[in-house]
Amino acid sequence: MGFVSVWFLLFCAAAVLLYYVLPKKWQWPLLLIASCAFYASYDLRYFGFIAVTTVSVYFAACKISQLRAKQNAYLQEHPELGKDEKKAYKAKTKKKTWAWLISCLLLNFGILFALKYINFFIGNINAIISIFSESKIPTFDKLLLPLGISYYTFKTAGYIIDVYFGRYEAEKNVFKVALFTSFFPTLLNGPIDRFPLTAPSLFGEHSWDEKRARFALQRILWGYFKKVVIADRLVVAVITIVSDPEKYPGVMVAFGALLYAAELYCDFTGGIDITIGVANLFGVEVSENFLRPFFSKNIAEYWRRWHITLGTWFKDYTFYPLCTAKPVMKLTKFFKNKFGAGAAKRVPIYVASIVLWFGTGAWHGASWNFILWGMGNCFVILVSQELTPLYKRFHAKHPDIDNKWYYKTMCIVRTNAIMCCLRLFDCYKDVPTTFKAFGSMFTKPSFNMLNGNTLLNLGLSAADYAIAFAGILLIFAVSMIQRRGSVREMIDKKGFAFRLAVFALLFAVIIVFGAYGLGYDSNSFIYSKF
Amino acid sequence: MKKTLLILLLAAAVCLMAACNSGENESKPEPASTEVSGNTAEHTPTGYLFESNGVTFGVGSASADVIDKLGTQTSDPYTSNSCAFNGKDTVYYFGSFEVSANDETGDFVIYSIYLKDDSVSTREGACIGMTPEEVKAVYGEPAESSDGGFSYVKEGMKLNFFLKDGVVSAISYYVNN
Amino acid sequence: MRSKVILRVLICVTVFVLLFICLQRLLMPKYTREAEEGRLTAEYYGSDKNHDVLFIGDCEVYENISPVALWREYGISSYVRGSPQQLIWHSYYMLEDALRYETPEIVVFNVLSMKYGEPQNEAYNRLALDGMRLSSTKINAIKASMKSEESLMSYIFPILRFHSRWNELNSDDFKYMFCSPPQLSVAGYLMRVDCRPLTTDPPVGHQLMDYSFADICWEYLEKIRTLCEENGAKLVLMKAPTVAPYWYAEWDAQIIEYAQKHGLAYYNFLNSVAEIGIDYTADTYDEGQHLNVWGAEKLSSYFGKELVSLGAPDRRGKADYEQSWAKLCERYDRIKQYQTDILEQTGTITGFPVPD
């Protein structure tokens, strides 16, 4: 039951109705039941995996909290203990809590690795073996990939790491942990929420709020507009271009990259809009995951605006811990002694960045395409950092240029051009093909291919292009308005009739112009394979 | 006890909605890069080919390229129309064999060649009147077998050998749906 | 305040529902320019439900049986509940649907659809089912007919299927948005007055690997028989006298056996062509695949005798029947004249032209 289905809408409607009819203390249990039903509608076999993750995380977190509580109680009861004795006791507790943390993380990331990455890993081992011998390690056929496994594994990992570091106490109710893990609107494409941010509203009691519900429905409509009218329409042309790079070189690669940028943005943000809208219907707050990323002036800013929760997860649980990890500190010291302070200060940043972007790439997919995509992002960000002195000198010479519209536009265009190039790894089937396609933009520009004949043979008609273009313009306009404040609030202020007209029109556009149903390759969300 | 019962009832209510999904085709998220057909296929014959009057053709050939070269038709072609739509199905008669074509793809494309007597044979040398063993000596073990005959499947078409009284009584080249 | 909110919610819901309905009515195909037979299913509901004989099946019934001819010669009140390439499960549910409105004495089922053991394509499903009124019968019909790529929801809310017609809309889509297009059939019969003779020998079917009908076809034939029995209707099996698709002797034998086993009358009109007086050089408009109106009248005249012997009552003289059949006969004659005029003027007829 994907988002783009009448069943999903009926399911949500039934769940919302029950949610507000039942006594408030049954609200979050109902969400858990609904989430289980949603998950089961995909494949009952998935249940085992999410259950193992839920129970292991719950149990490990409780154990960690218990051990810490025991430690605190012991130290309180024995004020006579010396500093060294206290340290030793704490070290013993830390060893145990560490063991629980690592076991839990190994188990769950192990499951993720086994299901998602094992064949990729074996494939690479076989590639190395093939240099020396003809034997091969067999890969696994028909591996299940449970819905949302990447999302919930990371979500729960963040939870248990936070508990380990004492940021909050473990949740005592296993069903609440289950709901946090499996809350159904977030299963398909995130976000990767943090427990303390989402728990109050997830487990809280909610009364019907007409304005909140109205805004939620409006957000859902907007999400469907982006997903069904634009993303699902453009995907046909993108696939046509990238599946035949020989036929569509040069300028067509660039054209495809632009279409893909629009398609990916609309698909992912549309999905998040639906996620947030559905969650808000229940009064549950879910983190925003996008903040007008195509308005970014540099790559670092882009990644603070695109898939925000994934970025912050890696930043908080990979980048910062790595920067201060003992082995990295040792390496830093080594570099300082060997190469000086300049090189040394780069060590933690470089090491942490490489690991972060390797992880981010791998998270997106078990293939070298995604890993190189991650490494490409890493490279651009590190180069950009290295060029900081140059930028500073430039800005010193031109102090006001940051406020000039042409400079801002240049930065935005530059950022998006770089991201479009990096996204080519996303599109083409393997690394060599990606490089070849990229290179053909310069070696075989084929500008003559940008004609009506070619463009109308990509699976889109002139009307399709018109609708997609109009839709993208509308999204752009809304994004521009959003910089001044909430668009829904602005529409709200115009009165009931205006509001009704706007959203009735949006509804009609989705129903009529949506690329769904028989005859369309109605894809699920691109990110729902994670 | 009451709590448990209520939870079970709630579960049933919402599970019912999720379970109603059984007919839908969106049960699994699909990878973004699914295949999309681009241009229409050229009309090249596939699988086992037939030869007559110096013309080699088969299932998938455009009838316009073939029919006029096969020699004199022994009877006027018979065209039947599809129900409700404009599709046409034409049978061409060449005495020992018949060729059927329809315009499902826009152009008239051959979907069947039917051999009626032993004055014609397949390119590989099988003909009406042979025993099944003789045919299998030419083509090997068939992909499908039944009391009525056996078939060989190749590249989207089937070569069918029909049996009557233990020997091949008809042969057809047919599109494999 | 609360009542204001409730009122606004009601207005919103009403506007969205009305918008949805209007868009659906606009975008549904009207079958006025292409695949006109798509109107047949819905036309049944506009008829007077006073039929003693109900024909179910594909174009072998709706183009070969003339209810007006049956009325005029025998006073038999009948309707042809047909649709293009109607499969046997379509026939079963069409019958079940019709039985919600009336109880005929005789149900005549054309057995050609026994050769189709699987859903053929979405188009024929749509032509058969979209015109059916929503009911549990329709839901069951959809579930039985759907191909794997189809969805139940797209039948319940057809706009989910036909929304992409927005760039194919024509004036008829707007004209018939809230009203039905002109009646195409006369008591379910589609008329053609032209002739394209069969000048060759009738095509002979190719040998088959397996002549047995699919289990599902037997299952539905049995369901049709049982449904008739439960509703006090006599089931009669028929095979129309058309030369294509080919009707194999092996198939015929199975139907004969079934009919004998259950005491059903079975008429294979292919064996009675001479007796009926069908001349494939004059009585067909497409080389024997379907009869034209002259052929249909001959067949109806012949079959009517049998139907009378099976108990079909003569309703002539009864005011309500006379009234409704008078209109149908008048329309029938007008269509005949209209098409004859077209034929004289242009030399050709396409589709099933009817006067306004």
Side-chain angles (χ1 to χ4, degrees):
Chain A
M1 175 169 31
F3 277 4
V4 183
S5 86
V6 177
W7 291 114
F8 177 74
L9 296 172
L10 291 173
F11 170 78
C12 287
V16 168
L17 185 66
L18 272 172
Y19 190 77
Y20 290 105
V21 155
L22 288 170
K24 291 197 174 70
K25 64 178 181 176
W26 292 112
Q27 284 181 335
W28 74 260
L30 173 69
L31 287 182
L32 177 60
I33 292 164
S35 300
C36 291
F38 181 83
Y39 209 68
S41 75
Y42 276 86
D43 195 327
L44 274 172
R45 295 173 300 171
Y46 293 169
F47 256 121
F49 297 100
I50 200 171
V52 163
T53 298
T54 302
V55 168
S56 63
V57 163
Y58 164 77
F59 198 69
C62 284
K63 266 295 184 202
I64 290 169
S65 278
Q66 269 172 27
L67 285 165
R68 192 166 291 120
K70 190 178 167 190
Q71 171 190 275
N72 293 339
Y74 180 81
L75 292 175
Q76 236 178 357
E77 281 163 18
H78 296 91
E80 74 283 4
L81 288 173
K83 200 176 168 185
D84 287 338
E85 285 165 316
K86 281 184 186 172
K87 202 174 169 185
Y89 188 84
K90 281 184 182 173
K92 243 167 81 180
T93 306
K94 189 173 180 184
K95 203 173 169 187
K96 288 181 188 169
T97 54
W98 176 252
W100 279 109
L101 171 71
I102 291 302
S103 308
C104 183
L105 290 176
L106 278 175
L107 171 67
N108 290 298
F109 279 104
I111 293 171
L112 178 64
F113 178 82
L115 295 177
K116 195 170 168 183
Y117 299 101
I118 190 72
N119 283 335
F120 172 62
F121 182 72
I122 290 172
N124 284 292
I125 301 285
N126 282 337
I128 297 169
I129 292 173
S130 68
I131 300 171
F132 309 105
S133 140
E134 282 201 11
S135 55
K136 263 185 180 176
I137 305 172
T139 53
F140 294 87
D141 287 331
K142 298 178 192 165
L143 279 176
L144 277 182
L145 193 59
L147 180 69
I149 187 170
S150 295
Y151 292 109
Y152 71 69
T153 302
F154 275 58
K155 215 185 334 186
T156 52
Y159 165 72
I160 193 164
I161 292 171
D162 284 346
V163 168
Y164 170 80
F165 281 111
R167 289 173 189 146
Y168 42 84
E169 288 298 305
E171 172 54 56
K172 299 276 187 296
N173 188 329
V174 66
F175 294 109
K176 285 187 175 176
V177 175
L179 178 56
F180 169 69
T181 310
S182 65
F183 182 45
F184 76 90
T186 64
L187 278 172
L188 280 174
N189 47 203
I192 303 171
D193 257 325
R194 305 295 176 92
F195 187 83
L197 291 175
T198 203
S201 60
L202 191 57
F203 309 127
E205 294 179 355
H206 302 282
S207 300
W208 174 258
D209 182 322
E210 185 265 332
K211 185 174 179 181
R212 185 182 67 214
R214 193 169 75 237
F215 273 33
L217 288 170
Q218 289 166 2
R219 184 130 194 205
I220 291 168
L221 261 185
W222 184 238
Y224 276 115
F225 169 74
K226 285 195 266 184
K227 159 75 181 155
V228 167
V229 176
I230 302 172
D232 286 350
R233 174 168 262 103
L234 292 178
V235 72
V236 177
V238 172
I239 290 173
T240 306
I241 292 172
V242 305
S243 12
D244 200 344
E246 294 295 319
K247 193 173 176 187
Y248 300 107
V251 73
M252 293 308 293
V253 173
F255 184 66
L258 283 173
L259 289 183
Y260 182 60
E263 186 238 323
L264 184 66
Y265 175 78
C266 289
D267 193 276
F268 205 1
T269 62
I272 287 291
D273 284 335
I274 297 170
T275 296
I276 293 174
V278 170
N280 287 170
L281 279 177
F282 298 103
V284 176
E285 294 300 321
V286 156
S287 305
E288 291 289 343
N289 223 6
F290 294 88
L291 197 60
R292 299 182 294 282
F294 289 168
F295 286 23
S296 305
K297 293 185 218 61
N298 54 63
I299 302 295
E301 186 186 350
Y302 178 89
W303 284 106
R304 288 194 296 274
R305 292 169 174 253
W306 179 282
H307 207 169
I308 297 167
T309 56
L310 181 71
T312 52
W313 194 98
F314 272 103
K315 188 182 67 177
D316 292 343
Y317 300 113
T318 311
F319 188 83
Y320 289 142
L322 268 175
C323 279
T324 54
K326 281 204 182 103
V328 174
M329 300 308 290
K330 273 190 182 155
L331 189 63
T332 307
K333 205 173 171 183
F334 171 79
F335 266 72
K336 192 173 179 184
N337 294 336
K338 266 279 186 180
F339 304 107
K345 77 174 183 200
R346 286 169 167 78
V347 166
I349 309 284
Y350 273 61
V351 169
S353 296
I354 289 168
V355 172
L356 181 150
W357 284 106
F358 183 91
T360 307
W363 184 92
H364 281 81
S367 84
W368 283 110
N369 274 56
F370 290 108
I371 290 170
L372 279 184
W373 167 86
M375 291 293 98
N377 276 281
C378 181
F379 174 76
V380 171
I381 290 172
L382 290 176
V383 164
S384 180
Q385 280 180 358
E386 291 301 325
L387 293 174
T388 306
L390 196 69
Y391 294 144
K392 278 189 174 148
R393 281 207 295 274
F394 174 78
H395 285 282
K397 256 191 184 164
H398 308 277
D400 226 11
I401 202 167
D402 267 340
N403 298 322
K404 299 282 189 234
W405 70 268
Y406 51 83
Y407 181 74
K408 285 192 224 180
T409 308
M410 189 277 302
C411 291
I412 289 170
V413 168
R414 176 198 61 191
T415 305
N416 282 291
I418 294 171
M419 287 315 300
C420 280
C421 291
L422 288 172
R423 268 189 226 110
L424 289 177
F425 284 108
D426 244 3
C427 303
Y428 290 91
K429 67 173 194 245
D430 54 41
V431 173
T433 310
T434 308
F435 278 114
K436 204 171 167 189
F438 178 76
S440 74
M441 286 198 280
F442 307 99
T443 58
K444 218 160 115 186
S446 315
F447 290 115
N448 58 329
M449 286 195 82
L450 260 186
N451 60 62
N453 210 29
T454 312
L455 296 182
L456 293 175
N457 272 316
L458 299 176
L460 297 180
S461 64
D464 285 322
Y465 281 111
I467 292 167
F469 185 65
I472 290 165
L473 273 182
L474 178 63
I475 292 170
F476 177 73
V478 166
S479 298
M480 291 296 280
I481 298 169
Q482 264 176 344
R483 294 158 90 208
R484 288 191 272 127
S486 163
V487 175
R488 283 174 292 174
E489 288 286 2
M490 290 176 202
I491 294 174
D492 226 35
K493 288 194 174 91
K494 298 271 188 200
F496 173 67
F498 180 82
R499 192 166 71 228
L500 181 60
V502 164
F503 289 103
L505 182 62
L506 189 62
F507 173 73
V509 164
I510 294 166
I511 294 289
V512 176
F513 298 119
Y516 62 88
L518 207 60
Y520 286 104
D521 282 331
S522 180
N523 286 291
S524 290
F525 296 107
I526 290 168
Y527 275 75
S528 66
K529 67 180 188 280
F530 299 107
Chain B
M1 182 62 193
K2 276 189 190 170
K3 212 190 225 184
T4 318
L5 204 58
L6 192 52
I7 289 175
L8 286 172
L9 279 170
L10 289 173
V14 182
C15 284
L16 210 61
M17 289 312 306
C20 284
N21 175 51
S22 60
E24 294 296 317
N25 60 358
E26 287 190 331
S27 55
K28 269 191 178 170
E30 292 287 315
S33 53
T34 49
E35 287 295 323
V36 172
S37 60
N39 303 319
T40 53
E42 290 174 2
H43 300 304
T44 42
T46 58
Y48 296 104
L49 302 181
F50 178 67
E51 194 178 317
S52 174
N53 207 35
V55 181
T56 305
F57 66 103
V59 163
S61 298
S63 62
D65 296 337
V66 165
I67 297 299
D68 292 338
K69 297 174 190 156
L70 288 178
T72 317
Q73 293 178 43
T74 52
S75 180
D76 285 341
Y78 181 81
T79 299
S80 52
N81 303 317
S82 73
C83 256
F85 300 101
N86 296 325
K88 289 194 187 334
D89 190 314
T90 303
V91 184
Y92 302 92
Y93 303 95
F94 294 96
S96 310
F97 65 94
E98 294 174 10
V99 177
S100 303
N102 65 30
D103 60 354
E104 265 179 31
T105 58
D107 300 325
F108 269 93
V109 172
I110 293 169
Y111 69 88
S112 163
I113 304 164
Y114 185 72
L115 309 192
K116 289 154 58 170
D117 63 45
D118 61 2
S119 65
V120 286
S121 63
T122 67
R123 268 179 105 194
E124 294 79 19
C127 65
I128 286 161
M130 275 186 166
T131 63
E133 290 69 35
E134 286 170 328
V135 173
K136 286 170 189 175
V138 176
Y139 291 99
E141 279 308 303
E144 294 166 16
S145 209
S146 68
D147 292 342
F150 49 93
S151 307
Y152 297 89
V153 178
K154 188 177 177 185
E155 292 166 21
M157 61 80 65
K158 271 188 190 177
L159 181 59
N160 301 308
F161 291 88
F162 301 91
L163 296 176
K164 201 172 185 178
D165 302 326
V167 293
V168 174
S169 56
I171 301 171
S172 80
Y173 299 73
Y174 209 89
V175 66
N176 188 17
N177 293 318
Chain C
M1 186 61 195
R2 196 183 152 102
S3 57
K4 197 177 176 188
V5 166
I6 291 171
L7 180 65
R8 283 186 174 183
V9 167
L10 283 173
I11 291 172
C12 273
V13 169
T14 307
V15 164
F16 275 76
V17 167
L18 282 176
L19 184 61
F20 187 84
I21 291 170
C22 288
L23 287 171
Q24 181 157 283
R25 292 194 77 100
L26 176 65
L27 290 161
M28 278 288 287
K30 310 300 183 295
Y31 300 117
T32 51
R33 298 186 184 191
E34 273 183 338
E36 295 163 294
E37 297 92 328
R39 281 140 74 181
L40 285 174
T41 302
E43 282 186 356
Y44 170 73
Y45 300 107
S47 69
D48 294 329
K49 309 295 182 298
N50 56 6
H51 308 112
D52 294 308
V53 179
L54 211 58
F55 296 89
I56 49 173
D58 57 15
C59 47
E60 290 207 347
V61 283
Y62 68 72
E63 293 194 43
N64 297 333
I65 302 285
S66 167
V68 162
L70 286 172
W71 168 259
R72 278 181 164 150
E73 196 169 340
Y74 301 101
I76 294 173
S77 174
S78 65
Y79 196 95
V80 181
R81 191 103 211 255
S83 63
Q85 207 173 81
Q86 189 180 97
L87 304 175
I88 191 168
W89 41 90
H90 294 151
S91 300
Y92 171 75
Y93 290 109
M94 288 278 197
L95 176 62
E96 194 182 80
D97 183 54
L99 290 173
R100 290 164 62 220
Y101 299 93
E102 57 184 344
T103 317
E105 296 283 331
I106 298 170
V107 170
V108 181
F109 169 62
N110 187 65
V111 293
L112 178 67
S113 58
M114 289 289 288
K115 78 186 220 94
Y116 297 109
E118 283 172 3
Q120 296 298 296
N121 64 48
E122 190 224 358
Y124 291 122
N125 284 342
R126 287 281 169 189
L127 292 176
L129 301 175
D130 274 344
M132 233 192 221
R133 282 184 182 162
L134 189 60
S135 63
S136 56
T137 299
K138 180 172 181 176
I139 305 279
N140 291 332
I142 294 164
K143 284 180 175 173
S145 311
M146 275 195 322
K147 297 200 74 167
S148 56
E149 63 270 22
E150 297 184 81
S151 75
L152 175 64
M153 280 297 166
S154 71
Y155 279 90
I156 297 175
F157 304 110
I159 192 174
L160 300 179
R161 175 62 182 91
F162 294 115
H163 65 94
S164 51
R165 284 191 72 244
W166 62 268
N167 61 351
E168 294 164 25
L169 291 176
N170 55 58
S171 55
D172 284 352
D173 287 300
F174 292 91
K175 192 172 168 187
Y176 302 115
M177 197 166 150
F178 295 109
C179 63
S180 303
Q183 191 86 357
L184 184 71
S185 69
V186 182
Y189 167 66
L190 291 187
M191 187 190 297
R192 283 284 287 257
V193 302
D194 54 325
C195 173
R196 197 169 92 225
L198 176 69
T199 52
T200 61
D201 289 332
V204 176
H206 296 167
Q207 193 172 338
L208 300 178
M209 292 285 183
D210 183 1
Y211 294 91
S212 53
F213 294 127
D215 290 342
I216 195 163
C217 294
W218 287 117
E219 189 190 310
Y220 272 96
L221 182 59
E222 188 57 20
K223 282 172 90 145
I224 290 172
R225 189 190 68 78
T226 315
L227 187 63
C228 290
E229 214 169 70
E230 286 164 2
N231 286 271
K234 196 173 278 178
L235 176 63
V236 173
L237 306 178
M238 70 166 268
K239 174 65 188 74
T242 52
V243 304
Y246 188 74
W247 182 249
Y248 293 88
E250 290 86 347
W251 288 349
D252 202 49
Q254 291 173 76
I255 299 296
I256 290 169
E257 190 187 330
Y258 181 86
Q260 281 173 352
K261 183 179 170 189
H262 295 285
L264 305 174
Y266 169 48
Y267 299 94
N268 180 352
F269 294 117
L270 284 163
N271 298 334
S272 320
V273 168
E275 220 177 305
I276 297 168
I278 289 171
D279 175 1
Y280 289 114
T281 61
D283 294 331
T284 169
Y285 74 86
D286 56 5
E287 295 181 66
Q289 208 182 344
H290 302 96
L291 302 176
N292 58 23
V293 68
W294 320 113
E297 285 176 352
K298 284 180 186 173
L299 176 60
S300 305
S301 174
Y302 182 88
F303 197 12
K305 251 198 318 282
E306 302 300 327
L307 291 172
V308 167
S309 72
L310 289 166
D314 184 343
R315 300 291 190 184
R316 285 173 292 191
K318 297 205 165 98
D320 47 352
Y321 284 89
E322 288 286 354
Q323 198 176 23
S324 67
W325 279 99
K327 285 190 215 152
L328 289 168
C329 290
E330 188 267 329
R331 193 152 176 279
Y332 183 87
D333 295 334
R334 253 191 322 125
I335 293 172
K336 206 185 244 184
Q337 187 57 54
Y338 181 73
Q339 288 193 9
T340 307
D341 291 342
I342 292 174
L343 195 59
E344 273 169 21
Q345 284 160 23
T346 66
T348 183
I349 288 182
T350 38
F352 303 96
V354 295
D356 289 330

